């Protein structure tokens, strides 16, 4: 009986560093402090003649919602291999699907971005970034376009595509994902 790989495999993404996870709450605390420091200023005071909620309350809500949303989105990340397709979901709203046959797996490798600076994301075209986290489409320093889901800079799986683009991923076990892709490529040829 032939040994077949499972039809759907999910690969864990390396968790973001504690520094990344504390960036948004720390930013929120700083913004709250600024709003409370400014609440006595003319711009944040409600008109005393008109009874209404204090002006700082909507300001706090306006600051809290985007930061809370971004913090929640950091937890939505997935790498899945199913039926010859690699599907990546980054920050809940940035997705990318590519057929395994479109990947140049002979040139795929696990890299440290501090050593391979040509593969570092540069300009973000459409995505989200925090210190230690990058999700979405970027232009790399080597001028190629890439879809990134990066939670660390070491042990990054660099997957060149046949069209000149890249996919940069931070799976928990990059060698396991690369092996899974090579198995899927072998099955699609066979």
């Amino acid at each position: 009986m032939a040994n077949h790989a499972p039809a759907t495999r999910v690969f864990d993404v390396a968790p973001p560093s504690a520094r990344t996870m504390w960036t948004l709450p720390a930013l929120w605390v700083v913004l709250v402090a600024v709003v409370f420091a400014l609440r006595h200023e003319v711009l944040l005071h409600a008109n005393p003649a008109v009874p209404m909620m204090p002006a700082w309350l909507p300001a706090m809500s306006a600051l809290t919602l985007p930061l809370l949303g971004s913090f929640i989105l950091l937890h939505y990340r997935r790498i899945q291999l199913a039926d010859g397709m690699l599907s990546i979901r980054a920050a809940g709203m940035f997705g990318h699907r590519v057929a395994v046959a479109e990947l140049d797996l002979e040139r795929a490798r696990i890299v440290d971005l501090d050593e391979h600076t040509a593969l570092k994301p540069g300009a973000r075209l459409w995505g989200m970034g925090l210190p230690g986290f990058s999700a979405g489409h970027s232009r790399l320093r080597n001028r190629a376009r890439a879809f990134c889901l990066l939670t660390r800079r070491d042990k990054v799986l660099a997957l060149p595509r046949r069209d000149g683009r890249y996919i940069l991923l931070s799976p928990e076990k990059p060698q396991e994902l690369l092996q899974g892709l090579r198995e899927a490529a072998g099955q699609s040829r066979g």
Side-chain angles (χ1 to χ4, degrees):
M1 178 160 218
N3 185 10
H4 295 288
T8 300
R9 293 179 64 187
V10 176
F11 298 88
D12 292 332
V13 178
S17 69
R19 177 179 151 221
T20 301
M21 296 309 289
W22 282 102
T23 299
L24 290 169
L27 181 59
W28 183 80
V29 168
V30 168
L31 292 173
V32 167
V34 168
V35 167
F36 276 108
L38 296 175
R39 75 174 191 220
H40 294 291
E41 295 295 324
V42 175
L43 292 176
L44 292 178
H45 262 298
N47 185 347
V50 179
M52 58 189 287
M53 80 173 77
W56 60 267
L57 192 57
M60 290 300 299
S61 298
L63 294 173
T64 301
L65 291 177
L67 292 175
L68 180 61
S70 297
F71 184 76
I72 291 169
L73 288 176
L74 280 175
H75 294 84
Y76 288 97
R77 50 193 191 279
R78 183 185 72 214
I79 302 170
Q80 180 178 313
L81 182 58
D83 301 322
M85 294 293 291
L86 176 65
S87 300
I88 306 146
R89 189 51 114 188
M93 52 202 260
F94 307 107
H96 192 71
R97 284 177 49 98
V98 63
V100 174
E102 293 179 33
L103 299 173
D104 185 357
L105 295 174
E106 294 298 318
R107 294 184 345 176
R109 62 190 190 273
I110 300 165
V111 299
D112 183 333
L113 293 180
D114 290 330
E115 295 174 8
H116 294 85
T117 57
L119 294 176
K120 278 187 179 180
R124 187 168 295 105
L125 304 174
W126 171 245
M128 172 182 169
L130 291 169
F133 181 81
S134 181
H137 297 271
S138 296
R139 181 151 324 262
L140 303 179
R141 291 199 178 159
N142 68 4
R143 309 284 299 148
R145 289 183 62 161
F147 183 83
C148 303
L149 173 52
L150 299 173
T151 57
R152 61 185 182 196
R153 301 174 74 78
D154 65 331
K155 297 182 185 174
V156 171
L157 180 56
L159 297 169
R161 292 177 44 159
R162 298 190 191 284
D163 63 4
R165 296 180 182 194
Y166 282 83
I167 298 174
L168 299 179
L169 302 172
S170 295
E172 184 72 38
K173 298 176 182 173
Q175 189 61 47
E176 186 178 304
L177 174 56
L178 183 55
Q179 184 62 35
L181 289 167
R182 287 180 174 153
E183 289 170 7
Q187 287 177 355
S188 66
R189 279 186 241 140

